[in-house]
Amino acid sequence: MGMNANLSQEEFGRMVHYSASLVSAVDTGTRPLDRVFLARADEALKSGDLLVTLLRIAERDREPSWFKPWLEAERTARQLRLYETTLVPGLFQTENYARAVLRFNDTFSEAEVERQVAARLARQDILTRQDPPQVVVVLDEGVLSRTAEGLSGIMVEQVGRLIELAELPHVHIHLIPRVTGLRIGSSGPFALARSADGGWVGHLEHQLGGAVVDDEDGVAALLARWENVRTEALPRRQSIDLTKEMQAHHEPQ
């Protein structure tokens, strides 16, 4: 990243509370940049939030082209509607859950996994900003019961995170109980974003990535599908109770 020429790595490390060896690792690119490091660097170098902002721009620019329009719609949305059948949505993932999910892609290097984890966590800023969107999420119960060997601790943490978020006034999490069976949403996950001017944009995920839906007929079809899956879901409080049961399911007996 190129440190201030007037500072040694050891001197800079003392300023940002990192060891000289860690500063060297960042400087040479063997350790990925993170927001904590850059926020401290901004403070030490009196650069405002320049470095943190540059990281955010770099992360956005490295996203695949098919995902960028949705990221912009998500960032500026006044309302988000998310439906997931297999995984916790990225906006709600803990760092450990996101890392475990991304590691399932064996084409990603460890550095790429860490970059994508950081980008995913950065997206979550919209949930806690001063003027957050309303976020309504519908999840199949199986999303929370699914696990693998060695991941129970991660799931306890992840489900706990969902419980915390569900208590926020602008976040509504609804579960579709397992007994419901097949329904119109079973064809796959999707998302909808409503902008400040009232227009809707959709996003469909598939195995090769995803696609933005912004034509009138496509958006209407997704809104109709949303009404169906939302109708099948439990009310908010019952959903929180079931989520707490799922957390207990993952805890050591």
Side-chain angles (χ1 to χ4, degrees):
M1 57 181 278
M3 300 301 175
N4 187 315
N6 296 321
L7 294 173
S8 69
Q9 290 178 339
E10 185 175 356
E11 290 169 334
F12 186 81
R14 282 198 297 269
M15 293 177 70
V16 297
H17 311 295
Y18 277 82
S19 67
S21 60
L22 190 145
V23 173
S24 176
V26 171
D27 212 10
T28 58
T30 56
R31 182 187 188 278
L33 291 166
D34 64 69
R35 272 172 174 67
V36 174
F37 182 93
L38 290 181
R40 292 177 181 174
D42 273 328
E43 184 177 353
L45 299 173
K46 296 181 172 58
S47 53
D49 61 353
L50 174 64
L51 297 178
V52 171
T53 300
L54 289 174
L55 176 61
R56 188 181 303 122
I57 292 170
E59 288 170 344
R60 182 195 65 200
D61 288 346
R62 284 188 300 216
E63 294 294 347
S65 59
W66 56 263
F67 200 44
K68 287 181 182 178
W70 172 253
L71 287 178
E72 182 63 18
E74 180 183 83
R75 187 182 65 80
T76 59
R78 299 306 309 134
Q79 186 182 80
L80 288 168
R81 296 177 176 180
L82 313 175
Y83 172 60
E84 270 289 351
T85 59
T86 55
L87 295 172
V88 173
L91 278 181
F92 292 80
Q93 291 178 6
T94 64
E95 179 177 349
N96 289 325
Y97 183 96
R99 185 173 291 113
V101 169
L102 289 164
R103 280 176 174 160
F104 281 122
N105 187 333
D106 58 10
T107 67
F108 287 165
S109 66
E110 193 61 26
E112 177 63 14
V113 167
E114 292 304 317
R115 188 196 71 76
Q116 294 217 20
V117 168
R120 191 162 295 185
L121 296 180
R123 287 169 55 202
Q124 298 175 4
D125 289 349
I126 67 170
L127 297 177
T128 53
R129 70 190 185 197
Q130 189 171 5
D131 185 24
Q134 182 197 57
V135 185
V136 185
V137 185
V138 174
L139 303 176
D140 279 0
E141 180 186 340
V143 170
L144 305 188
S145 62
R146 187 174 291 107
T147 189
E149 186 176 352
L151 296 183
S152 59
I154 290 175
M155 287 304 298
V156 169
E157 178 188 51
Q158 176 61 73
V159 178
R161 168 74 170 157
L162 288 176
I163 293 169
E164 291 175 6
L165 290 172
E167 298 293 347
L168 296 174
H170 59 282
V171 175
H172 303 253
I173 297 177
H174 301 273
L175 297 189
I176 296 179
R178 198 188 309 270
V179 295
T180 304
L182 293 174
R183 66 202 148 272
I184 194 167
S186 298
S187 56
F190 62 92
L192 285 156
R194 184 178 181 270
S195 64
D197 64 7
W200 287 94
V201 173
H203 186 261
L204 281 172
E205 294 184 23
H206 51 71
Q207 291 189 349
L208 297 179
V212 169
V213 179
D214 55 8
D215 63 285
E216 186 176 346
D217 289 344
V219 167
L222 285 183
L223 287 169
R225 189 186 298 183
W226 171 262
E227 291 304 320
N228 278 276
V229 298
R230 178 64 189 86
T231 299
E232 296 288 351
L234 295 171
R236 191 178 188 185
R237 181 49 54 183
Q238 285 181 256
S239 294
I240 292 175
D241 291 343
L242 181 54
T243 303
K244 290 177 178 177
E245 289 181 27
M246 291 294 99
Q247 187 179 39
H249 166 77
H250 292 291
E251 289 174 343
Q253 301 302 314

